[in-house]
Amino acid sequence: MLQSQFTTILAALIYSLIFLKFTIASDTLSANQTIRDGQTLVSKGQIFELGFFSPGRSKDRFLGIWYKATPEIVVWVENRNQPITDSKGILTISRNGTLVLSRGERIIWSSNLSSVASSPVMRILQTGNLVLVDKTNGTSDNYIWQSFDYPCDTRLPGMQMVDNLMVDNLGDGQDKYLQSWRNSDDPSLGDFTYRIKYRGGVVEMVVYNGKIKRCRSGPWTGHY
């Protein structure tokens, strides 16, 4: 009887080790930690989750953010055009604070930083924003990198969209827009983009299929 119970418990433990995701008990990743395939970070409000996933029927692995309650709704994907073909992906923070996604010796992706962080910390916020901060600056609101600057196909509250003319004329960061997935099994760049267009002080929202304008909101005058 005891041997049978032990066998059942051992089998359940092995199953969990192989098939279940393990959530790191935090929303934060420090420089001496890593996230491996099967591990996740969860925002404090238990709204968003960060980890590796396979979309639809695909077996490829991607680093992404999704709603914890509905994991099939993915709001951000990092390595959209560079899938990992096995479960050996690792996310780490380098010594200078750069986020690095790798598989073995191969670097899949790394974040671009304008400055070096002496005490870097990565955190997934309740907004769904993945941010990198330097603890030595005394504030957690001064982001040295954030995923909201690199939107995918989903716009979340607080995520800004920027037109390339605003970048050129106003110096307001970089061009930011949404771009569709290729299909439900493939998050690589699709044909459709959703942009804010800035012309002579007036803006409008436009959907493009390639370079062809498919629909637009009409100019926003500030009143209607």
Side-chain angles (χ1 to χ4, degrees):
M1 181 67 176
L2 290 177
Q3 183 177 3
S4 177
Q5 290 178 340
F6 175 77
T7 302
T8 301
I9 294 173
L10 181 60
L13 178 60
I14 293 175
Y15 175 86
S16 65
L17 287 173
I18 295 175
F19 294 102
L20 298 184
K21 293 179 180 178
F22 289 90
T23 300
I24 299 174
S26 174
D27 61 344
T28 302
L29 187 74
S30 300
N32 61 342
Q33 296 177 308
T34 62
I35 294 180
R36 297 179 180 272
D37 196 316
Q39 297 176 317
T40 64
L41 292 182
V42 178
S43 63
K44 284 187 176 180
Q46 298 289 304
I47 299 175
F48 291 99
E49 188 170 20
L50 166 75
F52 292 90
F53 74 101
S54 293
R57 295 170 294 180
S58 173
K59 295 182 179 180
D60 291 334
R61 304 294 285 172
F62 298 87
L63 178 70
I65 297 173
W66 56 84
Y67 285 99
K68 182 172 175 57
T70 51
E72 67 277 7
I73 303 178
V74 179
V75 300
W76 185 78
V77 185
E78 181 43 59
N79 54 318
R80 297 184 68 175
N81 290 321
Q82 296 177 289
I84 300 173
T85 57
D86 54 30
S87 59
K88 296 182 180 180
I90 300 176
L91 180 66
T92 59
I93 304 178
S94 67
R95 291 183 179 180
N96 69 349
T98 302
L99 293 178
V100 178
L101 175 62
S102 62
R103 191 249 180 233
E105 298 297 323
R106 177 191 172 199
I107 296 179
I108 307 296
W109 164 87
S110 63
S111 60
N112 296 319
L113 298 181
S114 58
S115 60
V116 176
S118 57
S119 184
V121 170
M122 185 190 77
R123 182 174 293 115
I124 181 170
L125 306 182
Q126 297 189 63
T127 59
N129 194 10
L130 183 67
V131 302
L132 196 62
V133 299
D134 190 346
K135 290 195 300 184
T136 59
N137 64 17
T139 175
S140 60
D141 297 327
N142 187 17
Y143 309 145
I144 57 178
W145 182 91
Q146 60 177 336
S147 62
F148 272 17
D149 285 339
Y150 304 90
C152 292
D153 71 325
T154 303
R155 187 179 185 183
L156 296 172
M159 182 183 291
Q160 294 183 347
M161 296 180 69
V162 179
D163 179 71
N164 54 6
L165 285 181
M166 296 173 69
V167 173
D168 295 337
N169 297 335
L170 305 179
D172 190 16
Q174 64 189 54
D175 192 15
K176 301 173 190 175
Y177 56 92
L178 307 185
Q179 188 158 359
S180 66
W181 285 25
R182 178 62 55 187
N183 56 60
S184 59
D185 301 321
D186 181 3
S188 64
L189 299 179
D191 296 328
F192 289 88
T193 57
Y194 178 58
R195 296 174 176 270
I196 180 172
K197 302 305 295 182
Y198 177 83
R199 295 291 183 273
V202 178
V203 298
E204 62 180 357
M205 307 307 300
V206 183
V207 175
Y208 289 89
N209 182 358
K211 295 183 178 181
I212 300 174
K213 188 180 295 186
R214 288 302 186 187
C215 67
R216 62 189 182 90
S217 65
W220 171 249
T221 65
H223 300 285
Y224 55 86

